[in-house]
Amino acid sequence: MWTTLTNGLPWSADFVNRRKDGSLHTEEVVISPIRDSSGAITSYVAVQRDVTHERALAERATHLARERTLIAETIRGLRSGDTPEATAQAICRRVVTLTGVMAAQLSLFELDGRAWPIGFVVEGQSDPPLQKLPLQRSRHLRERAAKAPGSSHG
């Protein structure tokens, strides 16, 4: 930093700083030298901006892009001769590798309203048997599936 500034160039970086309330935030800082009329550096001026939210959004976007890539790779690796169950199971296995996901299930909804899991994986466990779900549980899943992602749990 000082090498850049004493050479008369502006310097910029991100800092993690602490607010008065004790919480941490990320600041984007630009420090520039100020010169007098003869060109000598007399002082420095710093401009700081809280970029905590922007950095978190960028990190989340990068994370989501990585997850989408993993799912796309799984889909590309599927074989045309695989059964729907084998395909669903492969997708579920990949989904449980994503951060924060402990279980994944793909289900078909039959005309009578019942859900039939065709893929089900729980992290760290052997594959559970696939069996038709009770009507009440099926209704609950259908209602959840109809809600927008991120909406509150029913």
Side-chain angles (χ1 to χ4, degrees), residues 63 66-67 70-71 74 90-104 121-124:
H63 179 77
R66 274 192 225 118
E67 288 183 349
L70 286 172
I71 298 297
T74 300
I91 293 169
C92 288
R93 279 192 192 95
R94 179 62 78 158
V95 169
V96 296
T97 68
L98 303 177
T99 305
V101 178
M102 298 183 70
V121 174
V122 178
E123 182 183 35

Side-chain angles (χ1 to χ4, degrees), residues 106-154:
L106 285 174
S107 297
L108 295 175
F109 287 93
E110 296 182 346
L111 294 175
D112 68 359
R114 290 191 118 151
W116 184 264
I118 61 168
F120 186 37
V121 174
V122 178
E123 182 183 35
Q125 296 182 16
S126 59
D127 295 345
L130 300 176
Q131 43 191 311
K132 196 179 282 192
L133 299 177
L135 192 55
Q136 184 177 2
R137 179 73 177 140
S138 295
R139 283 188 189 131
H140 175 74
L141 288 175
R142 185 179 285 274
E143 289 168 8
R144 289 281 310 279
K147 290 184 181 181
S151 61
S152 63
H153 299 97

Side-chain angles (χ1 to χ4, degrees), residues 45-46 55 96 145:
V45 63
R55 297 302 188 263
V96 296

Side-chain angles (χ1 to χ4, degrees), residues 58-73 98:
E59 186 176 319
R60 177 75 177 139
T62 300
H63 179 77
L64 288 172
R66 274 192 225 118
E67 288 183 349
R68 287 186 186 112
T69 299
L70 286 172
I71 298 297
E73 287 172 2
L98 303 177

Side-chain angles (χ1 to χ4, degrees), residues 6 9 18 20-21 42 44 56 78 98 103 120 147 150-152:
T6 54
L9 300 170
R18 189 175 306 275
K20 289 181 182 180
D21 67 3
T42 58
Y44 301 92
L78 297 174
L98 303 177
F120 186 37
K147 290 184 181 181
S151 61
S152 63

